[in-house]
Amino acid sequence: MGKKAVEIANLDVEKLIQMLNEALAEEWLAYYQYWIGARLMEGPMRSEIEPELLIHANEELVHAELVVNRILQLGGTPILNPMDWSKFARCEYEEPNDPYIEVILEQNLRGERCAIQRYEEIAAYTNGKDHATYQMAITILNDELEHEHDIEDWITDIERLKDQIRQIRM
């Protein structure tokens, strides 16, 4: 961290680095959860949703890159061993044991809501104290909010499709 940045940062940098490493672990797990879920997914609207989930996966990877860069800028060390991701992460990785599309989407929705909470906390901790981290957290938070909205829309669309099929059968 540069001298002027240290001067104006009115926070515990070690605590912030810990928070960022936790976020980093969660981004890697989210990337894999989206990526593998998209590959295994079965059910209605799969062909429309799969490419979108892969885009979300890539966006989680971009988030991981932003977080790593900020950890390094702050003079910290990012998590070096993938085996430590689950130890640092508060957001759980849920194995896609059931490949049905709604199950996969619900798992991803829980992950997004956890990520939203994580970046709200980082933004609150850095607001007015560390402008660079604050801006990064808000940028990622906005992406996570958009992901949540996308997933909710897909779940609603699938429910409507199922309702239409039920009505046709009557």
Side-chain angles (χ1 to χ4, degrees):
M1 194 169 184
K3 290 180 185 176
K4 192 65 176 171
V6 170
E7 231 177 83
I8 63 172
N10 185 21
L11 49 72
D12 179 345
V13 174
E14 290 305 313
K15 177 181 176 184
L16 178 57
I17 290 169
Q18 176 67 26
M19 293 171 81
L20 292 173
N21 263 314
E22 292 166 358
L24 176 62
E26 292 162 358
E27 292 295 352
W28 277 109
L29 292 172
Y31 164 78
Y32 191 71
Q33 187 158 348
Y34 269 122
W35 183 82
I36 197 67
R39 301 292 182 199
L40 297 173
M41 192 170 49
E42 299 172 355
M45 297 179 55
R46 178 186 183 271
S47 60
E48 293 88 357
I49 295 173
E50 178 187 10
E52 295 298 322
L53 290 184
L54 294 173
I55 290 169
H56 283 204
N58 287 330
E59 289 172 348
E60 302 301 343
L61 205 51
V62 170
H63 298 163
E65 187 174 333
L66 291 170
V67 173
V68 163
N69 289 340
R70 191 62 189 141
I71 290 168
L72 294 171
Q73 290 165 358
L74 292 167
T77 302
I79 298 171
L80 300 175
N81 187 334
M83 299 286 283
D84 292 334
W85 293 344
S86 60
K87 296 174 194 168
F88 277 78
R90 176 178 59 212
C91 303
E92 291 184 34
Y93 170 77
E94 296 185 55
E95 288 182 42
N97 294 320
D98 182 344
Y100 186 63
I101 192 166
E102 285 182 287
V103 174
I104 299 289
L105 290 174
E106 289 292 342
Q107 289 174 334
N108 290 334
L109 185 58
R110 285 188 291 275
E112 288 302 340
R113 289 180 174 156
C114 185
I116 289 166
Q117 181 182 355
R118 166 71 65 199
Y119 289 105
E120 283 180 321
E121 291 168 2
I122 292 171
Y125 187 68
T126 57
N127 189 14
K129 301 171 188 170
D130 174 356
H131 306 297
T133 305
Y134 176 76
Q135 287 296 332
M136 180 202 72
I138 292 300
T139 298
I140 296 172
L141 176 59
N142 285 326
D143 287 347
E144 305 297 12
L145 289 167
E146 184 179 325
H147 292 172
E148 178 193 39
H149 180 75
D150 290 345
I151 295 168
E152 288 173 340
D153 282 352
W154 295 326
I155 291 170
T156 299
D157 289 347
I158 291 169
E159 283 303 315
R160 286 184 183 146
L161 181 62
K162 288 169 32 180
D163 287 345
Q164 289 172 352
I165 291 169
R166 281 187 213 102
Q167 288 177 355
I168 291 170
R169 289 183 179 171
M170 292 179 167

